[in-house]
Amino acid sequence: MFRTALRNVLAHKARLLMTVLAVMLGVAFVSGTLVFTDTLSQAFRNQSAKSYDDVAVAVEMDPNPEEARKTPGLSQKVVDELAKLDGVTSVAPRVGGFAGVPDRNGRLIGLGWANKGANFTPGKDGKDRAYAFTAGSGPVEDTQIALDKDTADKGGYRVGDTVRVATNGPVKEYTLSGVFTTEDGAVNAGGSLVVFDTAVAQKLYLKPGYFQNLTVSAAPGTDADELVGEVLKVVPKTATAQTGTALADQQAKDIEAGMGALNQILLGFAGIALFVGIFLISNTFTMLVAQRTKELALMRAVGASRRQITRSVLAEAGLVGLIASAVGYVLGVGLAAGLRSAMSAFEMKVPDGDLVLGATPAVAALAVGVLITMLAAWLPGRRAAKIPPVAAMSSVHATASTKSLVVRNSFGAALTAIGVVLIFLGAGQGGDEGRMLIAGGAFLTLIGVIVLIPMLSRPVIAVIRPFFVKAFGVSGKLAGLNAVRNPRRTGATASALAIGLTLVTGLSVLGATVGTALDKVTTDQIKADYMVSMASGGSLSPEALAALEKAPGVTAVSPQQAASLEIGGDYVSASGVTPGAVEKVLKLTVVNGSLSSLGEGRIAVEEKVAAKRGLKVGDTVPVEYLDKQKGKLTVGAVYEGSEFVSPVLIDRKLIDAHEDPAEIREIFVSTEGGASAANERALSKAMGDNPAITVMDHKDIRDSFGGPINMMLNIMYGLLGMALIIAVLGVVNTLAMSVFERQQEIGMLRAIGLDRRRVKRMVRLEAVVISVFGAVVGIGLGSFLGWAIGETFKNSLPGYALVLPWDRIGLFLLLAALVGVLASLWPARSAAKLNMLSAIKAE
């Protein structure tokens, strides 16, 4: 039986090629993902270990703001005392924060959030072990800085050049004293590193004479754990200390966790490919078994058991899976190498190191490929073994029994019904719990629809068919009839496209709906022409606010200054704003009172918060500020909630008196004549052309909010592309085998007058019908899921209303039709080339 299976594989090389390609794609993504993440994890672990090679103990200050007021950092006295401990050879104290450098065109180099500044801490030899200088030396004066090599190269800077540096304060100019290489994580993440003289860094980021953290180096033989205990006796109680080895291990774990999201995305690609490939594989083996019905019946007649027949089919599938897995693993290794190189396109530096070719990716590739292929082939093999020999010999094509169709459709209907109920329950509940219900319901519904898809093919294609008959005549009619001749085959072929379009349509509907709502929020709630913020996501300096207030053409300016108040024992987030200007830059609907009362030292409270706490205009409430100072404030207005301010509004001058430094997240600016290139330029110039500050108009604001959605859409479009490739393979396979089975029929059609051109058209239209059928199912199910997921965001997104992106839906249908046309090129040509007489005589 094994020899028979091997001969069958060799006899159907061309037809099994499509199956090999489908399995190969999925396996390539699985193995490539595992190799890629193993390689990156190992590279970052090695880098982390190297960074802490000579670190015995690392000390960090508690980031808690309240503790920071008591002890702002590690003082120079602490550093000096640590240096006197037995076994300590050196102490390297550090302080840092955001720092950005522009290129020659004034654009920020790096990713914003990964642009860092730090201090230069030379030892007795005048060197800082954290930086290996390739040119010049470290900064030792207030006017000097050093840059990492990548940033210097991107900006075209050389030692001695003047460099503009942006921090949270005004832009300043420094002289470049040196260029260095480093293992710093910010640089490896695609950011930049600016190194200042220690006194300058302390003034910029903390407080003169204090540091945020430090590392201690020890002489060989020093017990690091014992040294930790000695260090803890010296440092403040708000500081933590651990060994360099423990810190390196912790960073390695953090790296593993950080790689998890990327790993899941790539494995998602692999899962979709394999899931879609199952239908192609099952379809292939179903057709191969159907074509060999008489052969299998003869084997049964000469003594082969049902189990042997099933094993023969599974052996074929195993061989195909083994070949596909081996090729897929090799492609996966190439994919891993390509992904590593592609990361440079996103300005992410990957540490040097070889590809890690462990046993796990190879075993996983072989196991996944072989098992998936055998699983998909098991049902066709089992079905073939159950056909009685006499019945099989009397008919080439065995039809499915009524009982099997009833069982299949009942099972599919039950799954679909349960899934739909869960989706409706999730949509009604909303929130994270609702989305979890929808995820479970979507999975069950998708499986149920796939099980039901053969039954759905007849009514759906019956609706589509008249358009083809009217447009293409006899060829269109024959194509429609052929498409429903074998509903199981048609359904399995259309499933690949249906799955891909379900995912993409669902996210497209969600993206269009949320995007429209965001547009409405931006239009309805922002009067200002511009929103100003830091590229790093950090706080703007009060100097930036003052500069904008004095900028030419500015008519109104108000910050959104983050603050916190304790009202009635509970902390409530507040926004420090400019009275008289906030209502000019934001559309705030006042329910009671007046926002002008903010100028009188009163507060405005959001309607829901006021109702929850029983507050109304005129009420006086005791408050406690973040610095523990207490006072009383009167409610001057109640307003409807806004996405751009906190639940409580207060004059920013009141906040400035209790919170230092000010935490200004955004500044809203209105200008004469509205948004224009000239006004934007004037604002940038007023702030000293700071490359770290972004000036966004309404479109930019919308894009910033919609960025994550657009990223997810792009990922889903990638999934659609992969599903389309497998769908094309499936349609090609189905049509090729269908043409082979229908040789006599095609010969007879040719004999009664159907010319080669119409035969080609018939096969092409059959492919288009199947593809459009899959697209209709996928688009319908995807739109339903998009609506359901959108309902879970309804309460948290003002102006939410379902939007169906008809332009994209139309594009998806056209794309599906194009898939059918492309997939039919080879089968249609083969059908047209059949010899009329030979085809009629074929069995």
PDB file of all heavy atoms in Angstrom, residues 655-684:
ATOM      1  N   ILE A 655      -3.004  75.441  39.321  1.00  0.00           N
ATOM      2  CA  ILE A 655      -2.236  74.197  39.293  1.00  0.00           C
ATOM      3  C   ILE A 655      -0.744  74.490  39.397  1.00  0.00           C
ATOM      4  O   ILE A 655      -0.002  73.795  40.094  1.00  0.00           O
ATOM      5  CB  ILE A 655      -2.543  73.407  38.003  1.00  0.00           C
ATOM      6  CG1 ILE A 655      -4.024  73.003  37.979  1.00  0.00           C
ATOM      7  CG2 ILE A 655      -1.652  72.187  37.884  1.00  0.00           C
ATOM      8  CD1 ILE A 655      -4.440  72.117  39.135  1.00  0.00           C
ATOM      9  N   ASP A 656      -0.287  75.538  38.703  1.00  0.00           N
ATOM     10  CA  ASP A 656       1.141  75.892  38.728  1.00  0.00           C
ATOM     11  C   ASP A 656       1.631  76.149  40.147  1.00  0.00           C
ATOM     12  O   ASP A 656       2.799  75.918  40.474  1.00  0.00           O
ATOM     13  CB  ASP A 656       1.400  77.130  37.866  1.00  0.00           C
ATOM     14  CG  ASP A 656       1.285  76.823  36.378  1.00  0.00           C
ATOM     15  OD1 ASP A 656       1.369  75.636  36.018  1.00  0.00           O
ATOM     16  OD2 ASP A 656       1.105  77.766  35.588  1.00  0.00           O
ATOM     17  N   ALA A 657       0.744  76.637  41.004  1.00  0.00           N
ATOM     18  CA  ALA A 657       1.141  76.954  42.372  1.00  0.00           C
ATOM     19  C   ALA A 657       1.361  75.704  43.214  1.00  0.00           C
ATOM     20  O   ALA A 657       1.970  75.781  44.292  1.00  0.00           O
ATOM     21  CB  ALA A 657       0.065  77.828  43.027  1.00  0.00           C
ATOM     22  N   HIS A 658       0.885  74.549  42.734  1.00  0.00           N
ATOM     23  CA  HIS A 658       0.969  73.323  43.537  1.00  0.00           C
ATOM     24  C   HIS A 658       1.704  72.183  42.844  1.00  0.00           C
ATOM     25  O   HIS A 658       1.986  71.169  43.481  1.00  0.00           O
ATOM     26  CB  HIS A 658      -0.444  72.845  43.907  1.00  0.00           C
ATOM     27  CG  HIS A 658      -1.220  73.833  44.702  1.00  0.00           C
ATOM     28  ND1 HIS A 658      -1.059  73.996  46.068  1.00  0.00           N
ATOM     29  CD2 HIS A 658      -2.176  74.740  44.332  1.00  0.00           C
ATOM     30  CE1 HIS A 658      -1.869  74.943  46.502  1.00  0.00           C
ATOM     31  NE2 HIS A 658      -2.565  75.408  45.476  1.00  0.00           N
ATOM     32  N   GLU A 659       1.987  72.308  41.574  1.00  0.00           N
ATOM     33  CA  GLU A 659       2.660  71.234  40.851  1.00  0.00           C
ATOM     34  C   GLU A 659       3.816  71.806  40.041  1.00  0.00           C
ATOM     35  O   GLU A 659       3.614  72.685  39.197  1.00  0.00           O
ATOM     36  CB  GLU A 659       1.683  70.497  39.907  1.00  0.00           C
ATOM     37  CG  GLU A 659       0.598  69.759  40.655  1.00  0.00           C
ATOM     38  CD  GLU A 659      -0.251  68.878  39.734  1.00  0.00           C
ATOM     39  OE1 GLU A 659       0.198  68.586  38.606  1.00  0.00           O
ATOM     40  OE2 GLU A 659      -1.364  68.496  40.150  1.00  0.00           O
ATOM     41  N   ASP A 660       4.999  71.311  40.330  1.00  0.00           N
ATOM     42  CA  ASP A 660       6.187  71.757  39.608  1.00  0.00           C
ATOM     43  C   ASP A 660       7.065  70.540  39.346  1.00  0.00           C
ATOM     44  O   ASP A 660       7.421  69.816  40.278  1.00  0.00           O
ATOM     45  CB  ASP A 660       6.949  72.793  40.445  1.00  0.00           C
ATOM     46  CG  ASP A 660       8.146  73.382  39.700  1.00  0.00           C
ATOM     47  OD1 ASP A 660       8.073  73.476  38.461  1.00  0.00           O
ATOM     48  OD2 ASP A 660       9.129  73.729  40.373  1.00  0.00           O
ATOM     49  N   PRO A 661       7.396  70.235  38.105  1.00  0.00           N
ATOM     50  CA  PRO A 661       7.124  71.046  36.909  1.00  0.00           C
ATOM     51  C   PRO A 661       5.720  70.805  36.366  1.00  0.00           C
ATOM     52  O   PRO A 661       5.069  69.828  36.697  1.00  0.00           O
ATOM     53  CB  PRO A 661       8.182  70.523  35.921  1.00  0.00           C
ATOM     54  CG  PRO A 661       8.366  69.099  36.325  1.00  0.00           C
ATOM     55  CD  PRO A 661       8.231  69.064  37.812  1.00  0.00           C
ATOM     56  N   ALA A 662       5.284  71.746  35.517  1.00  0.00           N
ATOM     57  CA  ALA A 662       3.970  71.626  34.886  1.00  0.00           C
ATOM     58  C   ALA A 662       3.972  70.487  33.867  1.00  0.00           C
ATOM     59  O   ALA A 662       4.948  70.294  33.139  1.00  0.00           O
ATOM     60  CB  ALA A 662       3.611  72.932  34.190  1.00  0.00           C
ATOM     61  N   GLU A 663       2.890  69.742  33.839  1.00  0.00           N
ATOM     62  CA  GLU A 663       2.775  68.619  32.907  1.00  0.00           C
ATOM     63  C   GLU A 663       1.796  68.995  31.789  1.00  0.00           C
ATOM     64  O   GLU A 663       0.619  68.680  31.835  1.00  0.00           O
ATOM     65  CB  GLU A 663       2.309  67.359  33.634  1.00  0.00           C
ATOM     66  CG  GLU A 663       2.410  66.104  32.795  1.00  0.00           C
ATOM     67  CD  GLU A 663       2.042  64.851  33.572  1.00  0.00           C
ATOM     68  OE1 GLU A 663       1.922  64.920  34.809  1.00  0.00           O
ATOM     69  OE2 GLU A 663       1.848  63.803  32.928  1.00  0.00           O
ATOM     70  N   ILE A 664       2.307  69.704  30.787  1.00  0.00           N
ATOM     71  CA  ILE A 664       1.474  70.195  29.689  1.00  0.00           C
ATOM     72  C   ILE A 664       1.517  69.158  28.557  1.00  0.00           C
ATOM     73  O   ILE A 664       2.542  69.003  27.883  1.00  0.00           O
ATOM     74  CB  ILE A 664       1.967  71.561  29.180  1.00  0.00           C
ATOM     75  CG1 ILE A 664       1.946  72.579  30.335  1.00  0.00           C
ATOM     76  CG2 ILE A 664       1.106  72.044  28.026  1.00  0.00           C
ATOM     77  CD1 ILE A 664       2.539  73.922  29.965  1.00  0.00           C
ATOM     78  N   ARG A 665       0.424  68.470  28.351  1.00  0.00           N
ATOM     79  CA  ARG A 665       0.375  67.411  27.337  1.00  0.00           C
ATOM     80  C   ARG A 665       0.119  67.968  25.937  1.00  0.00           C
ATOM     81  O   ARG A 665       0.727  67.534  24.966  1.00  0.00           O
ATOM     82  CB  ARG A 665      -0.719  66.394  27.699  1.00  0.00           C
ATOM     83  CG  ARG A 665      -0.419  65.585  28.923  1.00  0.00           C
ATOM     84  CD  ARG A 665       0.815  64.751  28.721  1.00  0.00           C
ATOM     85  NE  ARG A 665       1.143  63.932  29.888  1.00  0.00           N
ATOM     86  CZ  ARG A 665       2.201  63.162  29.972  1.00  0.00           C
ATOM     87  NH1 ARG A 665       3.057  63.127  28.963  1.00  0.00           N
ATOM     88  NH2 ARG A 665       2.444  62.457  31.060  1.00  0.00           N
ATOM     89  N   GLU A 666      -0.836  68.889  25.826  1.00  0.00           N
ATOM     90  CA  GLU A 666      -1.149  69.503  24.535  1.00  0.00           C
ATOM     91  C   GLU A 666      -1.419  70.988  24.726  1.00  0.00           C
ATOM     92  O   GLU A 666      -1.790  71.427  25.811  1.00  0.00           O
ATOM     93  CB  GLU A 666      -2.392  68.868  23.884  1.00  0.00           C
ATOM     94  CG  GLU A 666      -2.271  67.400  23.533  1.00  0.00           C
ATOM     95  CD  GLU A 666      -2.875  66.510  24.599  1.00  0.00           C
ATOM     96  OE1 GLU A 666      -3.647  67.027  25.444  1.00  0.00           O
ATOM     97  OE2 GLU A 666      -2.569  65.305  24.614  1.00  0.00           O
ATOM     98  N   ILE A 667      -1.228  71.707  23.643  1.00  0.00           N
ATOM     99  CA  ILE A 667      -1.591  73.126  23.616  1.00  0.00           C
ATOM    100  C   ILE A 667      -2.431  73.353  22.360  1.00  0.00           C
ATOM    101  O   ILE A 667      -2.015  72.993  21.255  1.00  0.00           O
ATOM    102  CB  ILE A 667      -0.347  74.038  23.571  1.00  0.00           C
ATOM    103  CG1 ILE A 667       0.556  73.789  24.787  1.00  0.00           C
ATOM    104  CG2 ILE A 667      -0.768  75.501  23.528  1.00  0.00           C
ATOM    105  CD1 ILE A 667       1.861  74.558  24.751  1.00  0.00           C
ATOM    106  N   PHE A 668      -3.621  73.934  22.551  1.00  0.00           N
ATOM    107  CA  PHE A 668      -4.511  74.200  21.422  1.00  0.00           C
ATOM    108  C   PHE A 668      -4.381  75.677  21.030  1.00  0.00           C
ATOM    109  O   PHE A 668      -4.390  76.564  21.890  1.00  0.00           O
ATOM    110  CB  PHE A 668      -5.953  73.881  21.795  1.00  0.00           C
ATOM    111  CG  PHE A 668      -6.174  72.412  22.093  1.00  0.00           C
ATOM    112  CD1 PHE A 668      -6.112  71.935  23.396  1.00  0.00           C
ATOM    113  CD2 PHE A 668      -6.408  71.515  21.064  1.00  0.00           C
ATOM    114  CE1 PHE A 668      -6.304  70.598  23.667  1.00  0.00           C
ATOM    115  CE2 PHE A 668      -6.592  70.175  21.330  1.00  0.00           C
ATOM    116  CZ  PHE A 668      -6.540  69.706  22.631  1.00  0.00           C
ATOM    117  N   VAL A 669      -4.256  75.904  19.711  1.00  0.00           N
ATOM    118  CA  VAL A 669      -3.977  77.258  19.219  1.00  0.00           C
ATOM    119  C   VAL A 669      -4.927  77.616  18.069  1.00  0.00           C
ATOM    120  O   VAL A 669      -5.089  76.833  17.123  1.00  0.00           O
ATOM    121  CB  VAL A 669      -2.520  77.366  18.707  1.00  0.00           C
ATOM    122  CG1 VAL A 669      -2.219  78.799  18.285  1.00  0.00           C
ATOM    123  CG2 VAL A 669      -1.533  76.889  19.759  1.00  0.00           C
ATOM    124  N   SER A 670      -5.543  78.775  18.174  1.00  0.00           N
ATOM    125  CA  SER A 670      -6.337  79.332  17.072  1.00  0.00           C
ATOM    126  C   SER A 670      -5.571  80.503  16.469  1.00  0.00           C
ATOM    127  O   SER A 670      -4.907  81.257  17.194  1.00  0.00           O
ATOM    128  CB  SER A 670      -7.703  79.818  17.576  1.00  0.00           C
ATOM    129  OG  SER A 670      -8.501  78.728  17.982  1.00  0.00           O
ATOM    130  N   THR A 671      -5.676  80.627  15.142  1.00  0.00           N
ATOM    131  CA  THR A 671      -4.911  81.674  14.448  1.00  0.00           C
ATOM    132  C   THR A 671      -5.817  82.465  13.511  1.00  0.00           C
ATOM    133  O   THR A 671      -6.891  81.991  13.115  1.00  0.00           O
ATOM    134  CB  THR A 671      -3.767  81.045  13.627  1.00  0.00           C
ATOM    135  OG1 THR A 671      -4.314  80.080  12.722  1.00  0.00           O
ATOM    136  CG2 THR A 671      -2.758  80.374  14.523  1.00  0.00           C
ATOM    137  N   GLU A 672      -5.356  83.639  13.157  1.00  0.00           N
ATOM    138  CA  GLU A 672      -6.086  84.461  12.194  1.00  0.00           C
ATOM    139  C   GLU A 672      -6.022  83.796  10.815  1.00  0.00           C
ATOM    140  O   GLU A 672      -4.955  83.405  10.351  1.00  0.00           O
ATOM    141  CB  GLU A 672      -5.456  85.859  12.112  1.00  0.00           C
ATOM    142  CG  GLU A 672      -5.615  86.682  13.364  1.00  0.00           C
ATOM    143  CD  GLU A 672      -4.943  88.044  13.237  1.00  0.00           C
ATOM    144  OE1 GLU A 672      -4.338  88.293  12.165  1.00  0.00           O
ATOM    145  OE2 GLU A 672      -5.006  88.841  14.193  1.00  0.00           O
ATOM    146  N   GLY A 673      -7.173  83.649  10.182  1.00  0.00           N
ATOM    147  CA  GLY A 673      -7.219  83.064   8.849  1.00  0.00           C
ATOM    148  C   GLY A 673      -7.244  81.552   8.834  1.00  0.00           C
ATOM    149  O   GLY A 673      -7.281  80.941   7.767  1.00  0.00           O
ATOM    150  N   GLY A 674      -7.216  80.917  10.010  1.00  0.00           N
ATOM    151  CA  GLY A 674      -7.291  79.460  10.054  1.00  0.00           C
ATOM    152  C   GLY A 674      -5.970  78.792   9.724  1.00  0.00           C
ATOM    153  O   GLY A 674      -4.923  79.434   9.591  1.00  0.00           O
ATOM    154  N   ALA A 675      -6.019  77.466   9.575  1.00  0.00           N
ATOM    155  CA  ALA A 675      -4.807  76.688   9.308  1.00  0.00           C
ATOM    156  C   ALA A 675      -4.246  77.016   7.930  1.00  0.00           C
ATOM    157  O   ALA A 675      -4.959  77.049   6.941  1.00  0.00           O
ATOM    158  CB  ALA A 675      -5.126  75.189   9.390  1.00  0.00           C
ATOM    159  N   SER A 676      -2.953  77.271   7.889  1.00  0.00           N
ATOM    160  CA  SER A 676      -2.266  77.542   6.628  1.00  0.00           C
ATOM    161  C   SER A 676      -0.785  77.267   6.830  1.00  0.00           C
ATOM    162  O   SER A 676      -0.295  77.171   7.962  1.00  0.00           O
ATOM    163  CB  SER A 676      -2.473  79.003   6.196  1.00  0.00           C
ATOM    164  OG  SER A 676      -1.842  79.885   7.106  1.00  0.00           O
ATOM    165  N   ALA A 677      -0.078  77.129   5.724  1.00  0.00           N
ATOM    166  CA  ALA A 677       1.355  76.874   5.804  1.00  0.00           C
ATOM    167  C   ALA A 677       2.075  78.025   6.500  1.00  0.00           C
ATOM    168  O   ALA A 677       3.014  77.821   7.281  1.00  0.00           O
ATOM    169  CB  ALA A 677       1.924  76.659   4.408  1.00  0.00           C
ATOM    170  N   ALA A 678       1.620  79.243   6.237  1.00  0.00           N
ATOM    171  CA  ALA A 678       2.258  80.414   6.843  1.00  0.00           C
ATOM    172  C   ALA A 678       2.055  80.430   8.354  1.00  0.00           C
ATOM    173  O   ALA A 678       2.987  80.715   9.121  1.00  0.00           O
ATOM    174  CB  ALA A 678       1.694  81.691   6.221  1.00  0.00           C
ATOM    175  N   ASN A 679       0.829  80.123   8.799  1.00  0.00           N
ATOM    176  CA  ASN A 679       0.559  80.116  10.234  1.00  0.00           C
ATOM    177  C   ASN A 679       1.325  78.986  10.942  1.00  0.00           C
ATOM    178  O   ASN A 679       1.846  79.178  12.046  1.00  0.00           O
ATOM    179  CB  ASN A 679      -0.938  79.960  10.491  1.00  0.00           C
ATOM    180  CG  ASN A 679      -1.688  81.269  10.312  1.00  0.00           C
ATOM    181  OD1 ASN A 679      -1.110  82.356  10.439  1.00  0.00           O
ATOM    182  ND2 ASN A 679      -2.969  81.186   9.990  1.00  0.00           N
ATOM    183  N   GLU A 680       1.387  77.836  10.304  1.00  0.00           N
ATOM    184  CA  GLU A 680       2.121  76.718  10.894  1.00  0.00           C
ATOM    185  C   GLU A 680       3.600  77.065  11.026  1.00  0.00           C
ATOM    186  O   GLU A 680       4.240  76.769  12.045  1.00  0.00           O
ATOM    187  CB  GLU A 680       1.945  75.464  10.038  1.00  0.00           C
ATOM    188  CG  GLU A 680       2.606  74.232  10.640  1.00  0.00           C
ATOM    189  CD  GLU A 680       2.296  72.967   9.852  1.00  0.00           C
ATOM    190  OE1 GLU A 680       1.280  72.960   9.114  1.00  0.00           O
ATOM    191  OE2 GLU A 680       3.073  72.005   9.975  1.00  0.00           O
ATOM    192  N   ARG A 681       4.127  77.712  10.003  1.00  0.00           N
ATOM    193  CA  ARG A 681       5.531  78.119  10.037  1.00  0.00           C
ATOM    194  C   ARG A 681       5.770  79.148  11.137  1.00  0.00           C
ATOM    195  O   ARG A 681       6.793  79.108  11.843  1.00  0.00           O
ATOM    196  CB  ARG A 681       5.923  78.698   8.671  1.00  0.00           C
ATOM    197  CG  ARG A 681       7.316  79.275   8.568  1.00  0.00           C
ATOM    198  CD  ARG A 681       8.369  78.213   8.765  1.00  0.00           C
ATOM    199  NE  ARG A 681       9.698  78.785   8.914  1.00  0.00           N
ATOM    200  CZ  ARG A 681      10.609  78.344   9.748  1.00  0.00           C
ATOM    201  NH1 ARG A 681      10.325  77.315  10.542  1.00  0.00           N
ATOM    202  NH2 ARG A 681      11.797  78.890   9.821  1.00  0.00           N
ATOM    203  N   ALA A 682       4.818  80.056  11.321  1.00  0.00           N
ATOM    204  CA  ALA A 682       4.954  81.086  12.350  1.00  0.00           C
ATOM    205  C   ALA A 682       4.976  80.462  13.744  1.00  0.00           C
ATOM    206  O   ALA A 682       5.751  80.886  14.619  1.00  0.00           O
ATOM    207  CB  ALA A 682       3.818  82.093  12.228  1.00  0.00           C
ATOM    208  N   LEU A 683       4.143  79.451  13.960  1.00  0.00           N
ATOM    209  CA  LEU A 683       4.111  78.775  15.261  1.00  0.00           C
ATOM    210  C   LEU A 683       5.427  78.045  15.528  1.00  0.00           C
ATOM    211  O   LEU A 683       5.975  78.111  16.634  1.00  0.00           O
ATOM    212  CB  LEU A 683       2.937  77.796  15.328  1.00  0.00           C
ATOM    213  CG  LEU A 683       1.532  78.395  15.247  1.00  0.00           C
ATOM    214  CD1 LEU A 683       0.485  77.300  15.375  1.00  0.00           C
ATOM    215  CD2 LEU A 683       1.320  79.458  16.321  1.00  0.00           C
ATOM    216  N   SER A 684       5.912  77.332  14.515  1.00  0.00           N
ATOM    217  CA  SER A 684       7.182  76.606  14.675  1.00  0.00           C
ATOM    218  C   SER A 684       8.328  77.571  14.963  1.00  0.00           C
ATOM    219  O   SER A 684       9.179  77.308  15.821  1.00  0.00           O
ATOM    220  CB  SER A 684       7.489  75.786  13.422  1.00  0.00           C
ATOM    221  OG  SER A 684       6.515  74.791  13.214  1.00  0.00           O
TER     222      SER A 684
END
